[in-house]
Amino acid sequence: MKPQMHAVGSRFARELRRGLACCAALAIAIPMLARCVVAQEPLSAAPKATVDGFAEGFKPLGKADFVNANCDDDTWTFPEGEIHCTGKPVGVLRTKKEFKNFELVCEWRHLKPAGNSGVFVWTPPASIEALKGPGLPHGIEVQVLDTAYGQPKPEGWYTSHGDVFPVGSSKMKPFPPISPNGSRSFPSKNLVKDSPEWNHYYIRAINGEIRLWVNGEEVSGGNKCEPAEGYLCIESEGSPIEFRGVRLRDLP
């Protein structure tokens, strides 16, 4: 081989080795850089645990499942499987059956701003029998309150986003955050939508413990509830409200 050709071949070999070395370095660096970029991305929000009530064991609740406890004959209507309430007088619609352990799913909406209602869990029969006119029974109440209630200066002893608390002689140890008087479990997040939008509740009541999910996220609850068995009630309290998709799974 001529000296000139040998020199050209040597330079080519050196450039080739240098190029291969650069490629190898890039092959190592690119995945590391990608990992760094991914690590710097903000964590996505946890998926919402929305329970739609169509899993095995859930059954719809409608007119055949309830008794008008102490309201007018026209307070409650059941168009197309929904439950509508005029809000007058103050009282409840109760289930025919008592429940101990269960899951409840429902959607609700207030038709007027500042509307008030609630779902009563584990209502003792004696407190229903004691209702001789307008009024509310004992039990654990899951608040159904519109965001305009008490505005523009709402009092600090309640919220509009899913308070859970005992009423009357019923007892409950609330989960934090807790209301100033220590009786209510305040929601950890404000998730209730304004009237007339629909809101979704998932209530799980098992062995004296109750937990509430609002629009797919757990927000409040309590344990050591007494009594931990009784009727399920829907409240009429002054303002028209609609419920739909009311479904319950009775648990052992």
Side-chain angles (χ1 to χ4, degrees), residues 7-97:
V8 171
S10 298
R11 285 196 300 272
F12 177 77
R14 286 196 298 272
E15 293 298 330
L16 180 60
R17 287 194 296 270
R18 188 179 295 113
L20 290 173
C22 290
C23 290
L26 286 172
I28 296 172
I30 289 174
M32 293 178 65
L33 179 61
R35 285 196 296 268
C36 291
V37 171
V38 171
Q40 292 176 357
E41 292 181 352
L43 294 175
S44 60
K48 293 185 178 182
T50 301
V51 177
D52 61 10
F54 286 92
E56 183 178 357
F58 275 96
K59 296 181 179 180
L61 295 183
K63 184 176 181 180
D65 302 290
F66 288 97
V67 173
N68 182 355
N70 62 330
C71 296
D72 291 344
D73 292 340
D74 61 353
T75 300
W76 302 95
T77 53
F78 303 85
E80 299 181 357
E82 296 186 359
I83 301 175
H84 293 185
C85 177
T86 64
K88 297 178 181 180
V90 173
V92 293
L93 183 74
R94 71 159 176 87
T95 53
K96 293 180 178 179
K97 180 182 176 181

Side-chain angles (χ1 to χ4, degrees), residues 53 55-62 65 103-104 246-250:
E56 183 178 357
F58 275 96
K59 296 181 179 180
L61 295 183
D65 302 290
E103 296 171 278
L104 177 74
V246 183
R247 303 180 68 87
L248 183 142
R249 177 158 59 183
D250 199 1

